[in-house]
Amino acid sequence: MPVLLPTSRSRTSTSRASATGHAVVIAGGGPTGLMLAAELALAQVDVAVVERRANQELSGTRAGGLHARCIELLDQRGVADRFLREGQIVQLAGFAWTRLDISDLPSRHAYGLALRQNHIERLLAEWVAELAVPIYRNAEVTGFAQDETGVDVTLAGGETLRAKYLVGCDGGRSLVRKIAGIDFGGSDPTLSNLMAEVEMREAPVCGLRHDALGFHGLSKAESGRVLVVVTEARCERSGEPTLRDLSEALAAVYGTDFGAHSPAWISRFTDAARQAASYRKGRVLLAGDAAHIHHSVGGQGLNTGLQDAVNLGWKLAQVVSGISPDSLLDTYHTERHPVAARVLRNTRAQIALLRRADAGLIAAREIISELLAIDEPRKRFGAMMSGLDIRYDLGEGHVLLGRRMPDLDLTVEGQKLRLFTLLHSARGVLLNSGKRGGIDIMPWADRIGVVDVAYDGPWELPAVGQVAAPKAVLVRPDGHVAWVDNENRCGLAEAMTKWFGPGGA
């Protein structure tokens, strides 16, 4: 068998990364795959990425930024500043082209970050390299076979990698999903959009417009070129778009292509909306676009994939390490499938409002825009579009249960400390603001940290408001609350067992 060598591996990873086997193999080195690799590496799991590209460069463009919750996730791992330094802080959230100012939502990052996907991927890849994750480049998964103990992953050159688990982060046309036989139900495209950044010899008519074809927009990009979004006359077009396709689409809408030339990139996307029936089949899991696709309106695709990775990473790490039973992986589908289903729902609603210029839809858009100018709907939709309101259904109980933990300014041993800094190592943490040393979790001490904290005042949650601060709270590695003190500590042992495995001796 030919020897397959990773192209990104530091000395620290040499002892744990072999040419033929890893605990986890990730198919696809885009944002979701890279984020998942980082999460697993933080948990000391032997993970490798298989990526068909020779490097991290992208042809064209895809996502254009990060929403508030994803900035928080990066902050939870201590790397948010890397992205904030390179992007532009903006009010990114919107619904059907109605901007939603979320600056008054209770988050340290109550904004979005305008940053193109090529930069997001580059920064994630640099972080992954620091964590000594091997990346097999110029390689592609072409098949796999799973058994009771693992998965044999076949690559294009005939080489095989053995893994305990395989995660498909290989996009909307995911081969991993297809080979696994997981249904990808949903709706076919009804419109096709071109997006491009081009130079124009004539001054463009900047702004947004609607007509019988759909919605269109021209604006000046940071590069000095013109950013174009245009609906094509026919939705059945496919393949890599050309400058001729763009010129024809512009002329059909504006009567001219404004002398478009020298495109930096051109992309085509549709309103097809599909979701995997299951995010798991045995030892094969799906994340990101491999699990869900939808129109780009609202900019939620990349962000949903990053959230998938953070939800899955710590769970998969605990199962691989023998800390938790295999059944913990079922909660990945249970929690993340409804989140993506809601994203598909809101993108379908936005496209329905945007797609035509008839009187009824114009009136509907105007009414929605007026509604979203009112504080309560604005905050509620802003929290939804930015991901700040996500709540996993962990049963009845305190309003915090299943929600993201706010990044509180805590006092720990007399020192001020942000809560997110306690999550940098991707471990669970139990915050205790009651009697110092009053909670004993010795059987789980190797996987959960207990921190005695002081905090004055109520906690505030997006789309919920203020809630009374509990005496103690158990926070999962992904930053979501798994248990809230009910004065008698009832259910704590059960919650720790469920999320962090049976207690040790």
Side-chain angles (χ1 to χ4, degrees), residues 72 75 108-109 404-409 418-421:
E72 286 190 342
D75 200 359
R108 201 175 297 272
H109 303 288
R404 56 174 275 289
M405 184 69 186
D407 185 23
L408 305 173
D409 288 311
R418 288 176 46 210
L419 182 140
F420 280 3
T421 63

Side-chain angles (χ1 to χ4, degrees), residues 252-263:
V253 174
Y254 297 95
T256 175
D257 69 353
F258 303 102
H261 67 97
S262 305

Side-chain angles (χ1 to χ4, degrees), residues 21-174:
H22 300 276
V24 178
V25 168
I26 299 171
T32 301
L34 292 171
M35 189 74 195
L36 179 59
E39 291 289 295
L40 291 166
L42 285 171
Q44 304 302 309
V45 169
D46 175 11
V47 55
V49 177
V50 176
E51 169 56 41
R52 59 181 175 79
R53 291 173 291 172
N55 52 50
Q56 214 59 46
E57 292 182 7
L58 284 173
S59 58
T61 190
R62 292 176 178 83
L66 297 170
H67 281 300
R69 179 52 185 156
C70 279
I71 302 172
E72 286 190 342
L73 292 176
L74 294 167
D75 200 359
Q76 287 175 187
R77 299 299 181 252
V79 297
D81 286 348
R82 306 182 185 196
F83 297 82
L84 293 171
R85 281 195 296 267
E86 296 207 18
Q88 180 181 2
I89 292 176
V90 294
Q91 287 301 321
L92 194 65
F95 186 85
W97 287 5
T98 295
R99 287 286 184 180
L100 300 168
D101 187 343
I102 66 169
S103 60
D104 57 351
L105 294 188
S107 169
R108 201 175 297 272
H109 303 288
Y111 48 76
L113 185 70
L115 186 65
R116 286 290 171 191
Q117 182 171 331
N118 59 323
H119 297 300
I120 294 172
E121 286 197 22
R122 173 176 52 80
L123 292 168
L124 287 172
E126 290 172 359
W127 181 31
V128 164
E130 293 169 14
L131 294 170
V133 175
I135 300 179
Y136 296 97
R137 295 198 178 275
N138 290 311
E140 190 170 3
V141 172
T142 57
F144 62 83
Q146 57 176 314
D147 55 39
E148 293 181 357
T149 61
V151 187
D152 290 314
V153 183
T154 305
L155 306 186
E159 305 92 342
T160 300
L161 294 174
R162 178 71 174 175
K164 291 182 179 179
Y165 290 89
L166 169 65
V167 185
C169 299
D170 50 341
R173 297 182 179 88
S174 172

Side-chain angles (χ1 to χ4, degrees), residues 139-460:
E140 190 170 3
V141 172
T142 57
F144 62 83
Q146 57 176 314
D147 55 39
E148 293 181 357
T149 61
V151 187
D152 290 314
V153 183
T154 305
L155 306 186
E159 305 92 342
T160 300
L161 294 174
R162 178 71 174 175
K164 291 182 179 179
Y165 290 89
L166 169 65
V167 185
C169 299
D170 50 341
R173 297 182 179 88
S174 172
L175 185 67
V176 172
R177 184 190 66 239
K178 293 173 182 176
I179 295 175
I182 298 174
D183 184 57
F184 201 46
S187 54
D188 292 329
T190 63
L191 64 81
S192 176
N193 292 122
L194 292 179
M195 179 179 283
E197 196 172 304
V198 298
E199 295 182 18
M200 290 183 169
R201 296 186 181 90
E202 304 170 21
V205 181
C206 290
L208 306 175
R209 68 164 60 184
H210 295 83
D211 59 22
L213 287 178
F215 52 91
H216 324 279
L218 300 175
S219 62
K220 284 289 186 180
E222 294 179 14
S223 63
R225 298 185 180 90
V226 179
L227 183 63
V228 178
V229 178
V230 63
T231 302
E232 295 186 275
R234 302 195 310 273
C235 72
E236 64 271 14
R237 290 195 174 190
S238 60
E240 290 297 321
T242 65
L243 180 59
R244 181 175 178 177
D245 292 335
L246 182 66
S247 294
E248 289 178 355
L250 284 167
V253 174
Y254 297 95
T256 175
D257 69 353
F258 303 102
H261 67 97
S262 305
W265 48 264
I266 308 174
S267 295
R268 173 178 281 126
F269 52 94
T270 74
D271 65 335
R274 297 187 177 278
Q275 186 174 20
S278 174
Y279 285 11
R280 179 192 183 195
K281 190 167 184 179
R283 293 179 172 272
V284 178
L285 300 111
L286 304 174
D289 288 353
H292 41 75
I293 61 168
H294 50 82
H295 195 278
S296 65
V297 65
Q300 300 166 94
L302 180 148
N303 289 264
T304 305
L306 293 181
Q307 293 164 21
D308 287 346
V310 176
N311 184 284
L312 174 60
W314 65 277
K315 297 173 180 177
L316 185 53
Q318 290 185 178
V319 172
V320 166
S321 302
I323 294 171
S324 294
D326 178 82
S327 58
L328 179 63
L329 294 178
D330 294 333
T331 68
Y332 167 60
H333 171 91
T334 301
E335 293 179 354
R336 292 303 301 169
H337 195 275
V339 171
R342 187 174 70 154
V343 171
L344 264 67
R345 178 173 177 263
N346 78 54
T347 54
R348 283 176 169 136
Q350 291 179 78
I351 291 301
L353 287 168
L354 290 171
R355 63 171 305 132
R356 292 288 184 266
D358 61 74
L361 282 177
I362 291 172
R365 284 195 295 270
E366 290 173 347
I367 289 173
I368 292 295
S369 184
E370 290 173 8
L371 180 66
L372 294 178
I374 302 171
D375 275 353
E376 186 61 27
R378 172 185 60 80
K379 291 180 179 180
R380 186 172 294 274
F381 272 64
M384 175 182 70
M385 298 304 295
S386 63
L388 290 172
D389 73 339
I390 292 172
R391 176 185 180 273
Y392 299 136
D393 185 3
L394 304 188
E396 298 295 325
H398 196 283
V399 67
L400 278 165
L401 193 63
R403 297 186 186 275
R404 56 174 275 289
M405 184 69 186
D407 185 23
L408 305 173
D409 288 311
L410 305 170
T411 300
V412 180
E413 298 182 351
Q415 302 294 319
K416 291 295 184 181
L417 185 71
R418 288 176 46 210
L419 182 140
F420 280 3
T421 63
L422 300 175
L423 297 172
H424 284 184
S425 62
R427 295 178 73 240
V429 61
L430 180 62
L431 301 178
N432 173 41
S433 60
K435 179 182 176 182
R436 183 178 177 85
I439 302 180
D440 179 16
I441 63 162
M442 185 57 66
W444 293 271
D446 60 334
R447 65 204 83 156
I448 302 171
V450 179
V451 183
D452 295 314
V453 302
Y455 181 82
D456 295 325
W459 297 357
E460 191 172 1

